[in-house]
Amino acid sequence: MYRLPEDASAALLTREIPADQPLDAWPTRAPSGTGEALDAACAHIAHEIRENQGWLMVDTGLAGLGDELLCSAVWNLFTTLSRPVPQYRTGELFYPVEVSGAPALASSHYSSSNLTGGFHTDGTLLDVAPHVAMLASLSAADEGGETVLVDAVRLVEVLTERAPEHLPPLEEVQPFHSGDSAEDPVMLHPILSRSGSRLEVHYLRRYIEQGHALQGRAMDDKLVAALDVWDEFIADPLLQTPVLIDRGQVLLWDNFRFVHGRTPFTEHRSRRRLRRAYGLFPAA
Ligand SMILES: O=C(O)CCC(=O)C(=O)O
Ligand SMILES: [Fe+2]
């Protein structure tokens, strides 16, 4: 856990964004005049995400603020750290991740439900997938509801050691589609690729299945076998890092390096309310 220095925390209060700001109209630029302490803190966070362990839990120290100020503060942090990009083709930049009674599109079925498992990377359906993903908490569930990160660098090491025959299908280009609208393009990504020395992962099994269905072709046996083994390793508790995000805390991670999911949760007295954002490095 990285606790923001007090002067960096205070700098997060320089810009307020109204609670009813449309989700696609949150400002994509960093607030101005926030000062060196916040810049230094964001440089540290970016370094941890890009060069070190690949993820970081940040405590803003602002849990005592009301929701509107807290959301503004985490947005000010995120825009200083990175350049936000939309999470859907409909442009939402700031998005609630909480159980909603309303029927959801397939492309947001996870964020509006209490489903578990379903490990994935974010933004596989977008023209621009995010480098960094953020989940900020307004409240945690009564019980459970940890976000679970699995480092694909480790997954590839383990696959290479124990089941290297399953790597080639994961390195082939696969079609991704949500199944929502035939007007949405089928996106093409290898599940595992490299950009320079960096591993890049794109994964959401259901979208790959939908992508094949939409193209009218069956998934071949080797791909299905490779995905079964990949999912089996992802489900290995030894490879999983569960993190509980409490009010005022922000989880940030390298979206190309980690697949993520969550553990089951119950919400009797306390609802699990998170806010999500996607960003690119460097900040604008
Ligand atoms: O609820 C979580 O912890 C993760 C949610 C998520 O991965 C998503 O909405 O894309
Ligand atoms: Fe996600």
Side-chain angles (χ1 to χ4, degrees), residues 97 110-111 120 122 135 147 260-262 272 274 276 278:
V97 173
Y110 198 75
S111 51
H120 62 277
D122 282 340
L135 285 172
T147 299
H260 63 277
R262 64 183 166 223
R272 184 176 189 264
L274 302 176
R276 190 179 60 195
Y278 295 169

